[in-house]
Amino acid sequence: MICHLFAIFVLMSMEDRLFSNLRTKRRLERLRRRKRDTESIRRHLKAGGEYISKRERIRLSKERLRQNLVSGVKFCIDCSFEGDMSAKEHSKFAQQLCRVYGANKKAVSPLSLHLVNFNPAGLLAECCRRKCCGFDNYQIGFHVGSPTDVFKSQRIVYLSPDASDPLLDVDKYSVYVAGGLIDENIVKGRSLDTASRLGISSVRLPIQEFAPMDWSPQNPAKSSSLPLNIVVEILLAYLQHRDWRTALDHHLPHRFRTPIILAS
């Protein structure tokens, strides 16, 4: 009996420490964010800019996203793979979507973000609501239909790591679609098959053509799929700089790189 009570006490203590550590991490993150905001405001004022309150900055950010939802380059995440993913993969999708939205908010030229084949009452949507604060108020398009149903009159391009043709330019007259498939056991060709079934063209990010200097063609990771947030960050960087090398150099994950060993 005493051992049982002691075990319960130990477990409760561990939980308390865990929650305490979590609260500490969140507090530190808030402090770091506040410090970054303060530094940003200081630089802005030093450059002769006008002070804008946090509330006003949030309002302006939402307004900019709302405008870009209509006029920006359209980027869709295809949620038709929801039924093929586990609860853990749903959670990873939601985490990546949070990062996608965060990166888009900060971008110089935000994308017009859309979720297609999206079931608002499905498990994926439920997970996104749990993981992404204010998900239902995101300035993105929520569509039950497929990209070909939603954007009937526009050219649609499906991004697939298995496509043979590279994406050489991004224009506002095309709609770009990426598969929202978080697959821990990657099955090649899924997004390519989807593009073929929809009867639309497919392209891949031009990693092989514009790779950073330390990217190796022998690196087996070169053919693996990228997380959604990395794809979006690369596209946003390209829209800002109009240079694939810069975009890939800044945002391509380290697993795509081969350490350069200098000769002694």
Side-chain angles (χ1 to χ4, degrees):
M1 181 68 178
I2 294 175
C3 291
H4 182 65
L5 290 172
F6 179 73
I8 293 174
F9 174 76
V10 170
L11 285 172
M12 290 177 65
S13 299
M14 288 175 64
E15 286 183 357
D16 288 341
R17 285 198 298 273
L18 181 63
F19 284 118
S20 176
N21 290 337
L22 189 59
R23 284 195 295 269
T24 302
K25 282 183 179 179
R26 287 174 177 169
R27 193 178 301 117
L28 288 172
E29 180 56 35
R30 283 197 298 270
L31 289 172
R32 282 194 289 266
R33 194 183 305 124
R34 196 174 300 161
K35 185 178 179 181
R36 286 197 301 268
D37 289 345
T38 302
E39 288 297 325
S40 177
I41 292 169
R42 188 177 290 121
R43 287 195 300 270
H44 181 68
L45 293 175
K46 193 174 181 180
E50 182 183 352
Y51 174 74
I52 303 174
S53 68
K54 182 178 179 181
R55 180 175 294 180
E56 181 65 10
R57 289 201 307 273
I58 292 172
R59 188 192 70 78
L60 290 172
S61 175
K62 285 184 177 179
E63 182 60 31
R64 193 163 64 104
L65 288 174
R66 197 176 294 118
Q67 291 173 359
N68 274 274
L69 189 59
V70 177
S71 60
V73 173
K74 292 179 174 59
F75 179 83
C76 303
I77 298 174
D78 182 5
C79 301
S80 63
F81 303 99
E82 175 182 353
D84 300 326
M85 295 192 290
S86 65
K88 183 180 178 181
E89 289 164 344
H90 286 170
S91 179
K92 286 189 174 182
F93 174 93
Q95 290 169 2
Q96 290 183 22
L97 182 61
C98 293
R99 296 187 184 113
V100 164
Y101 192 70
N104 201 48
K105 278 203 303 185
K106 297 174 185 175
V108 174
S109 302
L111 295 165
S112 173
L113 292 177
H114 299 265
L115 295 181
V116 293
N117 288 312
F118 178 70
N119 179 6
L123 294 175
L124 191 63
E126 183 183 323
C127 187
C128 288
R129 291 188 182 98
R130 286 199 311 271
K131 296 283 184 179
C132 305
C133 182
F135 172 70
D136 288 318
N137 295 320
Y138 274 12
Q139 298 300 315
I140 63 177
F142 297 95
H143 309 281
V144 176
S146 70
T148 50
D149 292 331
V150 178
F151 303 102
K152 292 180 181 178
S153 61
Q154 291 180 267
R155 175 177 175 262
I156 302 173
V157 181
Y158 212 105
L159 298 178
S160 170
D162 303 307
S164 55
D165 297 327
L167 175 65
L168 297 178
D169 194 18
V170 177
D171 66 85
K172 65 178 182 179
Y173 303 106
S174 299
V175 177
Y176 300 91
V177 185
L181 175 63
I182 310 299
D183 189 358
E184 293 195 323
N185 300 307
I186 295 173
V187 179
K188 288 177 66 65
R190 294 287 296 276
S191 53
L192 201 60
D193 290 343
T194 302
S196 177
R197 179 170 49 79
L198 292 172
I200 57 180
S201 60
S202 58
V203 294
R204 55 176 170 77
L205 289 176
I207 297 174
Q208 297 174 30
E209 290 76 13
F210 300 100
M213 292 293 291
D214 56 351
W215 182 84
S216 169
Q218 283 76 39
N219 191 335
K222 73 181 190 305
S223 60
S224 64
S225 58
L226 290 169
L228 287 168
N229 55 296
I230 299 297
V231 172
V232 167
E233 286 170 8
I234 290 172
L235 290 176
L236 289 171
Y238 175 76
L239 287 173
Q240 180 180 353
H241 303 288
R242 287 291 168 180
D243 182 69
W244 283 115
R245 290 195 189 280
T246 300
L248 292 168
D249 189 48
H250 287 176
H251 298 287
L252 199 64
H254 288 292
R255 62 188 170 87
F256 275 72
R257 298 168 181 264
T258 300
I260 298 174
I261 301 174
L262 299 175
S264 57

